[in-house]
Amino acid sequence: MDQMATITRTKIRIEGVSKTFDNGLTALARVNLELAENSFTCLLGPSGCGKSTLLGMIAGFVQPTTGRVLVDGTEVTSAGADRGVVFQEYALFPWRTALENVEFGPLVRRLPRAERRRVAMEHLEMVGLKGHETKFPTELSGGMKQRVAIARALANNPSVLLMDEPFGALDAQTREILQEEMLRIWQQDRKTVVFVTHSISESLFLADRVVVMATKPGCIKAIIDVDLPHPRDRTDPEFIRLERQVKQMVREEVDKLGVI
Amino acid sequence: MSDPAVAVLLADEPARPMPRLDTKKLGVVALRTVSILLFFAIWAGFSFANARYLKFFNPILMPSPLDVLRTGIELTKSGELQSDILASLSRVLQGFVIAAFLGVSLGMAVGRSPFLESLLDPMLELLRPIPPLAFLPMMVLWFGIGEASKIAFIAYAAFFPIFTTTLEGIKYVDPLLLRAAASLGANRRDMFRYVVLPAAMPGIITGLRLGFGLSFFVIVAAEFIAADSGLGYLINDARTFFLVSQMLLGAAVIGLIGFTFNRLLRILEARLLRWRKTAWN
Ligand SMILES: Nc1ncnc2c1ncn2[C@@H]1O[C@H](COP(=O)(O)OP(=O)(O)OP(=O)(O)O)[C@@H](O)[C@H]1O
Ligand SMILES: [Mg+2]
């Protein structure tokens, strides 16, 4: 594999990052993490452990209280087109059709009209939405909306793709299909992916590395390298062993919260 | 409408087929027609009964729909009605355009700047509860008895709803959409043009519709006080000579014009906000 040479280059570096909100709540405490270029990392942890906060810092939506986040060696201070984001709530522009949503990035990058149409069509096709170009978000199902959101992020060709529980609101079948397509897209067109999820199975199915987070305050509890080849089989004994191991860790964190 | 933003939106979206009429809709239309016919029947019946049996009022004070129609035909023949309609419409349109321009642009400016909001909002809140009519005599003193005072008065009255809905629309844009746009590479200008403005558009259009309704509402009052033409003048003038059917004619014409313009604005709204309606089809 010739990727081995590049896989060691650090793409995202999180250095001693903490976040205390105005209300005094410490969401993250001294988080250090290095993410290699072209890697697929899942952030896993119970609700409230600061996954979205950490992702928002890489995206540039949230500023750390201490420490810093570096992407390609440059400190992140604001959002930018080099870091595409896919939100759990889709965040599509309701007044734009599927195609016009995907065109948004090319539009604000001032690509010529024909070129941005072509790019948008290509990406809609990639996520399997050919024939739905002129539909408005209100006319699309949840799964279709999330496909549009993924196509919209990818149409900008960002080097980092940040996804916050993108499949959380979908039914189990749609979710598995989109996971497989996500992998296909990622393998085709490698990007550094940071993927937030609650689902252990999802994280082990997708990621090279699973970052298990601890709560109160949010920090990194363990990092698990998943060396299984793709496509992964959820019934494989090694997969099941890892699943059990991670479940145990997450369980400890949930118990710590004491709300069940 | 003078608003350049509306023109931008119109130009930006590809054409889509309009929804067709269905039988259910036809039933609703039929019922609505019956409702209007019923109204005229009750009116005609009451007027007839008053003239023949009840004698509540002098029959001249309770004309029938037909009498009103007859007056309408007479006044159309003499050309008086047309010139009054034209006079009122041109005042309403001029006043409304000024209000729309000021309301939308100030609403946008204030919505984008917390400084401007703190500066202007208390001032406007102070003026808002005062019925615009209270300022009419003053405006006549300031702008004279000519067109300017009526136009200024209409503009003043229509300004408030347009300004307020624009401001609210601009202020309460979903922050998630702003984040999405920022991470797609939008700068501040893009963000305003492609996110804030379309998000505020439903509010702005509602404000324009309310403002237009209000313009019609106040024109009559303005023409009562200081005018020698217009539908308000037509009504007030009729009072001097006990011409009740002329008064009712004036009222009916104002109602018809208001209704027509409201429909037109609704059609424009449905076109601009297609993305909202599609969910119900
Ligand atoms: N803007 C804010 N102001 C104050 N507290 C906040 C803010 N945003 C998040 N928090 C708090 O910080 C903590 C971490 O929030 P975050 O959204 O990062 O959690 P999460 O791991 O993404 O949870 P979930 O899985 O439920 O999405 C939570 O306790 C949350 O209530
Ligand atoms: Mg979250």
Side-chain angles (χ1 to χ4, degrees), chain A residues 2-239:
Chain A
D2 54 19
Q3 278 136 14
M4 292 311 283
T6 54
I7 211 152
T8 47
R9 202 180 93 85
T10 299
K11 180 74 182 174
I12 302 170
R13 184 196 296 273
I14 294 162
E15 287 180 352
V17 158
S18 314
K19 179 70 190 181
T20 303
F21 286 106
D22 296 340
N23 60 7
L25 187 128
T26 300
L28 290 171
R30 278 175 288 102
V31 174
N32 289 291
L33 192 61
E34 267 185 37
L35 305 180
E37 185 159 43
N38 300 330
S39 62
F40 198 128
T41 307
C42 275
L43 299 181
L44 184 74
S47 194
C49 70
K51 304 182 294 293
S52 298
T53 306
L54 191 55
L55 201 75
M57 283 179 183
I58 304 172
F61 302 145
V62 183
Q63 299 307 319
T65 314
T66 68
R68 53 188 197 154
V69 176
L70 303 165
V71 173
D72 287 325
T74 316
E75 188 169 347
V76 172
T77 51
S78 63
D82 57 323
R83 284 152 288 138
V85 182
V86 176
F87 300 86
Q88 178 169 10
E89 312 87 339
Y90 319 123
L92 296 179
F93 303 114
W95 51 85
R96 300 180 83 88
T97 62
L99 188 71
E100 290 167 340
N101 262 282
V102 182
E103 258 184 22
F104 191 92
L107 173 74
V108 297
R109 279 186 297 136
R110 308 289 185 268
L111 255 59
R113 200 184 175 84
E115 175 67 3
R116 56 180 204 246
R117 263 290 120 107
R118 191 190 61 71
V119 170
M121 285 298 264
E122 187 186 301
H123 283 86
L124 265 189
E125 218 166 296
M126 183 163 91
V127 296
L129 281 183
K130 200 177 158 72
H132 298 281
E133 297 87 354
T134 60
K135 288 189 179 158
F136 286 102
T138 48
E139 300 171 286
L140 299 170
S141 70
M144 287 158 113
K145 278 186 235 185
Q146 203 52 286
R147 284 166 192 262
V148 174
I150 292 168
R152 182 176 69 175
L154 290 174
N156 248 350
N157 197 23
S159 59
V160 174
L161 187 60
L162 306 169
M163 306 177 85
D164 194 353
E165 297 186 46
F167 309 145
L170 306 176
D171 64 83
Q173 284 78 9
T174 312
R175 194 174 178 141
E176 285 194 6
I177 291 167
L178 281 179
Q179 286 168 5
E180 282 161 25
E181 293 194 16
M182 191 58 232
L183 271 183
R184 177 177 60 77
I185 291 165
W186 174 65
Q187 282 166 342
Q188 224 176 63
D189 171 24
R190 287 237 163 183
K191 299 191 182 306
T192 310
V193 180
V194 186
F195 189 109
V196 168
T197 180
H198 273 134
S199 161
I200 294 163
S201 155
E202 183 167 78
S203 68
L204 292 174
F205 185 76
L206 293 171
D208 303 324
R209 289 168 95 202
V210 175
V211 175
V212 181
M213 293 182 65
T215 54
K216 284 193 172 178
C219 59
I220 291 166
K221 185 182 172 80
I223 296 178
I224 292 152
D225 288 302
V226 187
D227 283 328
L228 304 171
H230 290 290
R232 291 176 185 158
D233 177 4
R234 287 175 220 255
T235 57
D236 179 86
E238 178 60 12
F239 191 97

Side-chain angles (χ1 to χ4, degrees), chain B residues 26-104:
Chain B
L26 238 59
V28 173
V29 170
L31 200 64
R32 285 169 175 272
T33 313
V34 168
S35 156
I36 290 168
L37 290 178
L38 199 65
F39 169 78
F40 282 108
I42 292 171
W43 174 9
F46 187 69
S47 162
F48 180 76
N50 178 56
R52 285 292 167 86
Y53 314 110
L54 303 171
K55 313 258 193 239
F56 275 149
F57 318 105
N58 183 334
I60 214 167
L61 296 181
M62 193 62 223
S64 73
L66 268 175
D67 294 328
V68 174
L69 192 66
R70 213 172 291 129
T71 312
I73 291 168
E74 270 168 38
L75 287 178
T76 310
K77 273 186 185 149
S78 69
E80 212 174 316
L81 185 62
Q82 292 93 312
S83 70
D84 281 333
I85 290 176
L86 219 64
S88 290
L89 261 186
S90 101
R91 287 167 192 150
V92 163
L93 286 179
Q94 291 178 70
F96 173 72
V97 165
I98 293 169
F101 177 77
L102 286 179
V104 171

